[in-house]
Amino acid sequence: MEAAKPGQPAETTFSHVKEGDTGFKSDGLRDFFLYRDLGIAKATGGKVVATLVRANKPPEEGTGWHRHIADFHIVIMLKGWARFMYEDQLTLVEAGDCVHQRPGIVHYLFDHSKDMEYLEVAAPANFGTVEMPAPCEVPAVTPWT
C-alpha cells in the first residue's frame, strides 16, 4: 500500500500483529540493534511507523549525532536502559520512561544495557535521518560484562 498523497486522507486498516508474526531482524538503520516491524506503517498507509528495537551488540560508537525528519517521534523504554545526549543534555532513559523527541532535535544514543528494548513510534513512517555535527563531548560507554 502506498502512502497517501498530500491533501488526501490515507487509507487505514485494522492490524493485529502477534508476537510470532514478525521477528527481530538486523536489517534496520543500525547494525548493533535488532528491529521488529509491528505492521503499523502498512496499516496506516505510511502515516505512522511502530518498531520494537532491541540491543544486539555492545555499545561501541553509538548512533552518532543525528536528527530525524519527522513530525512526531517517541521512544518508550520497555526493558533495560539507554543513555542519550539530547543536544548538550545527558538523558538516562530507563524501563517505563517515555521520551518525546521534538522534531529536529539533535541527539545521540551512545550507551545501552544488554537487555535494552524500546518501542519507537514516528510519523511519517518513512522519516529521514540526517547526520549532524557534535554540539558537545559524549561520555564513555558502560562495558558489558
Side-chain angles (χ1 to χ4, degrees), residues 3-76:
K5 293 184 167 94
Q8 293 180 331
E11 180 182 330
T12 62
T13 61
F14 175 80
S15 176
H16 178 189
V17 175
K18 295 183 78 58
E19 186 171 3
D21 292 347
T22 59
F24 282 92
K25 298 181 179 181
S26 60
D27 60 355
L29 186 60
R30 319 276 182 207
D31 70 349
F32 45 89
F33 292 152
L34 297 173
Y35 300 86
R36 180 174 166 235
D37 177 37
L38 298 177
I40 302 304
K42 181 177 180 185
T44 63
K47 291 181 81 174
V48 178
V49 65
T51 307
L52 288 176
V53 181
R54 178 183 283 176
N56 184 37
K57 297 178 183 176
E60 291 179 2
E61 296 180 19
T63 63
W65 288 101
H66 64 283
R67 65 179 176 84
H68 297 295
I69 302 168
D71 298 324
F72 175 79
H73 197 152
I74 61 171
V75 170
I76 301 170

Side-chain angles (χ1 to χ4, degrees), residues 64-94:
W65 288 101
H66 64 283
R67 65 179 176 84
H68 297 295
I69 302 168
D71 298 324
F72 175 79
H73 197 152
I74 61 171
V75 170
I76 301 170
M77 192 63 62
L78 302 173
K79 298 177 187 173
W81 55 266
R83 292 196 302 160
F84 291 79
M85 294 298 298
Y86 285 104
E87 296 171 336
D88 63 351
Q89 298 296 309
L90 174 63
T91 304
L92 173 63
V93 181
E94 300 173 290

